[in-house]
Amino acid sequence: MRYIFLIMTLLIPSLTTAEEVIDDSHHVISLGGGLGVSRWAEVHGFDEERLNLKHHYEVAYRYQFNPSWGSEIGYMYQKITGSIVLSPLTSAYIDKVSSLRLAAVYSTPVSQRSSFLFKLGAAQYHVIANLRYDDENVDTDNEGIGALAALGWRYDFTSNYEFSLVYTYQKFDTNTVTANFGYRF
């Protein structure tokens, strides 16, 4: 009888829906990491002759107004992981990217605990790039504000934790895929 009571005690909290969990938790802090690529040099008139793979880290705070809508502020830092040189004479690559974003977040349920995410907002970015063309080296430092759009999937655990996998496009031509772990309170 003790074991049946213990099993029921452990199972009943896991039967609550993600919506019920989120109703009590309006604040979310998340940490994430992932990989991305950038077309910044190509878009700015340079032949990008390297395939730049970048790793990134991000931290975000989200306020959840209701189970569907929220607002998020986040910071991402992206650094080059490696590159494949396609031409020894011409190259353009991004060294570092950082961005501060503010976005509206909409989520729609897929199942009892998972949902699709949509983000739309703006990001203030800072790009440091190295451009080389016919033995000329140019280091550039670029800042600006651009649009941000993201699509993703989130799984809500009953113990105030969540996991999400998000694809993000930022206007300065950086595409990232991020795995995030969040804590709701």
Side-chain angles (χ1 to χ4, degrees), residues 45 49 58 61 100 161 178 182:
E49 299 293 337
E58 72 175 44
Y61 167 78
L100 181 65
Y161 292 99
T178 308

Side-chain angles (χ1 to χ4, degrees), residues 44-168:
H44 286 83
F46 296 91
D47 293 330
E48 187 157 337
E49 299 293 337
R50 292 176 180 247
L51 175 60
N52 293 309
L53 183 63
K54 297 168 191 56
H55 63 279
H56 68 275
Y57 310 99
E58 72 175 44
V59 61
Y61 167 78
R62 183 177 77 240
Y63 182 80
Q64 201 69 38
F65 300 111
N66 59 45
S68 296
W69 287 98
S71 177
E72 180 179 83
I73 185 167
Y75 175 78
M76 180 200 67
Y77 177 78
Q78 192 173 34
K79 183 82 172 133
I80 192 162
T81 300
S83 60
I84 300 169
V85 178
L86 302 176
S87 167
L89 300 176
T90 305
S91 67
Y93 67 92
I94 306 301
D95 186 33
K96 290 186 257 183
V97 176
S98 61
S99 67
L100 181 65
R101 71 177 179 275
L102 181 61
V105 181
Y106 176 75
S107 61
T108 183
V110 176
S111 69
Q112 193 174 31
R113 293 183 179 271
S114 66
S115 56
F116 281 125
L117 298 175
F118 304 95
K119 297 181 186 181
L120 190 59
Q124 179 183 11
Y125 60 87
H126 182 202
V127 178
I128 297 173
N130 177 289
L131 311 170
R132 191 180 79 163
Y133 184 77
D134 292 335
D135 295 329
E136 278 186 52
N137 253 348
V138 177
D139 289 327
T140 183
D141 196 337
N142 215 352
E143 293 184 358
I145 296 176
L148 170 135
L151 297 172
W153 168 80
R154 180 174 64 219
Y155 183 82
D156 295 311
F157 298 96
T158 58
S159 57
N160 289 350
Y161 292 99
E162 66 182 38
F163 170 78
S164 63
L165 195 57
V166 180
Y167 166 78
T168 305

